[in-house]
Amino acid sequence: MTKLKNLKDRFMQDSEFREEYARVDEMYSLVETLIRARTTANLTQGEFAERIGITQSAVARLEGGRVSPSFSTLRRYAEATGTRLIVKLVQTGD
């Protein structure tokens, strides 16, 4: 049986796969950050949605990675969870 790490290592040798993986990984990293901020603030999706004036299903879509949040939404996430939004652009290794 192939281990997941070995399979990923093999796929990562393909440049198209690496590019898509990096693109998707950025989104999942953002989603993870949003969920962590909300749960650290001890808020359910419903409670959080009420705080920022959206529906619980909209929070679920954001946290599921099915939609990209606007800058305004990210700011509201930060305010509602007692965190601070920092946006940073970094040079790529290309």
Side-chain angles (χ1 to χ4, degrees), residues 7 13 49 52 54:
L7 187 60
Q13 294 173 14
I52 68 169
I54 63 175

Side-chain angles (χ1 to χ4, degrees), residues 27-28 30-31 34-35 58-69:
M27 182 59 170
Y28 282 114
L30 174 60
V31 166
L34 296 176
I35 293 169
V59 174
R61 284 191 300 275
L62 286 165
E63 292 184 356
R66 293 187 295 275
V67 295
S68 295

Side-chain angles (χ1 to χ4, degrees), residues 72-83:
S72 172
T73 298
L74 292 174
R75 267 199 341 243
R76 291 186 347 220
Y77 252 86
E79 290 171 9
T81 58
T83 59

Side-chain angles (χ1 to χ4, degrees), residues 7-22:
L7 187 60
K8 179 185 169 190
D9 290 344
R10 193 169 39 173
F11 283 141
M12 289 298 268
Q13 294 173 14
D14 180 300
S15 63
E16 285 183 45
F17 179 86
R18 274 194 318 273
E19 288 173 19
E20 183 63 15
Y21 184 88

